[in-house]
Amino acid sequence: MGKTVELTVEQEAVIKNYLRLKGLDYVDFTAEIYDHILSDIEQLVAAKEMSFQDAFYQVQKKWNHHLAYSESVFIGLAFSAPKLVLKKIRSVAIKNYILVFALYFGVLIGSFRMDSFFSPSLYVVDSIVILTVLGMLYLQYQLKKTHLKTSYGFLMKAQKLAILVPVFAGIILKTGINTIGVSLLVLGLYSVFFQGYLYRKHQQTIVKNTKIL
Amino acid sequence: MGTQKLYKGSLQTIILKLMAEHDKMYGYEITQKVKALTAGELKITEGALYPALHKLEAAGLLEVSVEKTGNRFRKYYQLTEEGTQETVHKLAEMKAFLQTMQQLVSPKLSTE
């Protein structure tokens, strides 16, 4: 990689501050991007004999676009994060939507056919609604408790409105068992599992990056 | 700019191929290696590189190790056993794709 120079502690602090101002405090990215930017600046200073300021300016020009805050329709327009983070989890969010639609319409179509024997009592419905709501509240509380941000945690946070799905299902099913209500109830259950999956990935990401935090 | 779009779909294959030729690599090193190998023709953008690396890691094709470099930690990626097998598969796919493209773009060359 050629000759490189080491930056001073003050210069490193400038870069850390840049990342902080850009809101890149996601543990799966911060240390890695910090190392990348430092390597890039060190290389420019050594190979092209640039000053730190000039090299940092060049590197910022390159990174500003990737670190700009943005939103994704697949994640939720009310939730913004650096583009880099969105890019990583967009495919997870898209797969989730495909599954949600497949599950919703699958149950909707299936429950017409299973009408005679797929008729849970209202007691069972209420129990499922309460359990799914409590499950989601517990997972969101656990996420908030970690105080560390990851891409998966961000997607999980964006899923918090899913708590309304089992609530709506419960309201619809109060008038009697119907296919739309049952479909929403199944979606509510799925949402708990999806949020559980995201929380597990969030924790794994933190554990993996503990050493470099 | 146009050719960059053509390379876009091959990013994972490019990363896996590089990993197969090196014991372990870190993000910045990958961008520089690709730039050097293609004489600057192909520039992997950082915005695409890291999500791709993380996806390959999540798929179990790459594993991560951390080493201290100066005052900072550096994340190195290397192929897993599954990743090595996937690289062979992806490269075979890429060769077949290139042959097909060759037949379409310049049929004379491909029959020679």
Side-chain angles (χ1 to χ4, degrees), chain B residues 4-109:
Chain B
Q4 291 291 325
K5 277 186 184 173
L6 290 173
Y7 293 127
K8 209 177 167 184
S10 314
L11 182 59
Q12 291 198 352
T13 311
I14 294 167
I15 293 171
L16 290 173
K17 169 81 173 120
L18 277 177
M19 292 293 173
E21 290 169 352
H22 297 81
D23 181 32
K24 55 181 183 178
M25 293 183 95
Y26 59 99
Y28 178 73
E29 190 183 8
I30 295 170
T31 58
Q32 297 307 298
K33 197 81 195 168
V34 171
K35 208 166 137 186
L37 284 171
T38 62
E41 173 66 23
L42 172 59
K43 286 176 192 145
I44 295 183
T45 64
E46 291 77 4
L49 174 69
Y50 288 101
L53 282 170
H54 291 189
K55 271 180 204 166
L56 289 168
E57 188 201 343
L61 304 180
L62 295 179
E63 58 187 1
V64 169
S65 59
V66 175
E67 279 177 28
K68 198 155 194 231
T69 309
N71 291 329
R72 62 189 191 261
F73 286 101
R74 179 164 284 164
K75 237 171 144 178
Y76 284 94
Y77 294 89
Q78 64 186 105
L79 282 178
T80 59
E81 208 169 299
E82 199 187 338
T84 310
Q85 288 166 6
E86 184 63 15
T87 307
V88 175
H89 176 67
K90 287 248 184 202
L91 286 174
E93 263 183 10
M94 176 64 83
K95 274 180 192 160
F97 169 74
L98 289 173
Q99 273 173 3
T100 309
M101 288 306 288
Q102 184 83 23
Q103 282 164 358
L104 281 170
V105 177
S106 40
K108 281 179 188 170
L109 276 173

Side-chain angles (χ1 to χ4, degrees), chain A residues 166-185:
Chain A
V167 174
F168 282 137
I171 294 166
I172 291 170
L173 290 169
K174 278 277 176 229
T175 56
I177 301 300
N178 58 73
T179 50
I180 293 174
V182 171
S183 303
L184 286 175
L185 196 64

